[in-house]
Amino acid sequence: MRAEANPLFSVRSRRGQRGFGLLNSFLLSGAAALLVWGGLYVGKYGGRFDGDEFDEAPHGRPAKVVAGAEDPNAKVLKRGAIIFQQCALCHQADGSGDPTKNVPPLAGSEWVLAESPNRVIRILLSGLTGPVTVKGNVWNGGIMASWRKTADNPSALTDEEIAAVLSYARNSWGNKAPMITPEQVSAIAKEEKRPPTVSWSAEELLKVPLTGAPAASAALTPDQLKAALQALPAADLEALLKDVKK
Ligand code: HEC
């Protein structure tokens, strides 16, 4: 059967002119409706064709909160990832290190993962050289220079950047440890008298306590403890001894 002969597609008027069949009218009006709807949709949700537009909320209304978008840590970690490209030259993008250049891994490293940032911040501030044990292997022969920005080393990292890159290393490749803040870096930089040009050895670093301040009893020799107790007023000493005896 030829299509024209099918009244669904084509009708012939009495005057013999060809008109639209029932189905064609449906298709046409359907297409027109789609066009109108599409236009309305783009007008409402198209974000005025702004490249930065990603949200379906119409303009003028508060955007939906996208999970994670408000997380300040995510922003810092993103920044850290960019800075880390400089570290990756030696430590590799996956933090696995480079045995051919005596570069130890950061993934799974106890120096990176220690809950307290006391040592790892110092490594970045003044550098590290000499034998260092990482994940049970001794690494030796490599040198990591200071990453701290100074007048002599202007292309290095600010305290904020050191915090970001360390936070990134502590939360990548399966690593999980607390973020490091710029304030923590600044506090250690201020308190640490070591110049950035004198690299740490691992041996020296291991003496840096991982807690804020060493416990008083560990810091005092028995003689010092005795002197400290003798300096107390008699009543206080008596109260203290009673308390200790309990
Ligand atoms: C020029 C190569 C080089 C670059 C670039 C480099 N490091 Fe290192 N890094 C080393 C070497 C070598 C050691 C080991 C030094 C030693 O043997 O005492 C090391 C040691 C470390 C350690 C302590 C040991 C460990 O594996 O955990 C940390 C942490 C560290 N680097 C972090 C970083 C970060 C963060 C950056 C980027 C800001 C960086 N490094 C850039 C070469 C490099």
Side-chain angles (χ1 to χ4, degrees):
M1 199 202 290
R2 292 195 2 236
E4 315 158 50
N6 184 341
L8 262 181
F9 291 100
S10 159
V11 288
R12 240 171 239 283
S13 74
R14 281 196 201 109
R15 275 180 286 150
Q17 281 168 325
R18 215 185 289 154
F20 289 113
L22 201 56
L23 194 56
N24 277 349
S25 313
F26 270 130
L27 284 175
L28 252 182
S29 49
L34 262 175
L35 255 177
V36 170
W37 174 81
L40 287 174
Y41 187 92
V42 169
K44 198 170 173 200
Y45 297 120
R48 300 167 192 167
F49 299 100
D50 181 349
D52 290 336
E53 182 67 38
F54 63 92
D55 194 45
E56 279 220 329
H59 275 274
R61 284 198 222 154
K64 269 183 286 172
V65 175
V66 179
E70 307 265 299
D71 184 357
N73 284 356
K75 219 172 135 192
V76 172
L77 292 175
K78 225 166 146 185
R79 186 141 178 249
I82 293 167
I83 300 166
F84 189 80
Q85 289 169 0
Q86 301 178 60
C87 321
L89 293 176
C90 293
H91 290 282
Q92 306 302 301
D94 62 358
S96 61
D98 184 356
T100 65
K101 289 196 228 150
N102 298 317
V103 180
L106 302 180
S109 158
E110 58 269 44
W111 298 94
V112 175
L113 286 171
E115 170 125 6
S116 155
N118 284 3
R119 291 176 187 162
V120 78
I121 287 176
R122 283 174 165 85
I123 291 176
L124 273 273
L125 288 178
S126 296
L128 182 71
T129 189
V132 57
T133 303
V134 182
K135 296 210 280 180
N137 296 316
V138 179
W139 298 77
N140 201 359
I143 296 174
M144 187 168 90
S146 161
W147 280 95
R148 181 144 211 242
K149 191 181 209 132
T150 60
D152 296 332
N153 195 8
S155 62
L157 306 177
T158 62
D159 292 353
E160 201 185 351
E161 288 168 333
I162 288 176
V165 76
L166 282 178
S167 295
Y168 172 77
R170 278 156 80 86
N171 291 283
S172 301
W173 330 293
N175 284 357
K176 192 95 202 84
M179 300 284 286
I180 289 178
T181 64
E183 291 74 26
Q184 286 175 308
V185 177
S186 303
I188 289 180
K190 216 162 136 193
E191 156 201 322
E192 184 57 65
K193 297 289 170 269
R194 195 182 192 88
T197 45
V198 181
S199 296
W200 288 94
S201 71
E203 199 189 344
E204 289 171 308
L205 268 179
L206 287 172
K207 292 185 192 136
V208 174
L210 284 178
T211 48
S217 59
L220 297 179
T221 63
D223 278 348
Q224 286 170 326
L225 185 60
K226 196 172 153 195
L229 290 175
Q230 280 169 342
L232 284 178
D236 287 358
L237 181 61
E238 210 168 305
L240 181 68
L241 287 177
K242 256 194 211 150
D243 199 42
V244 171
K245 277 269 178 176
K246 259 197 269 175

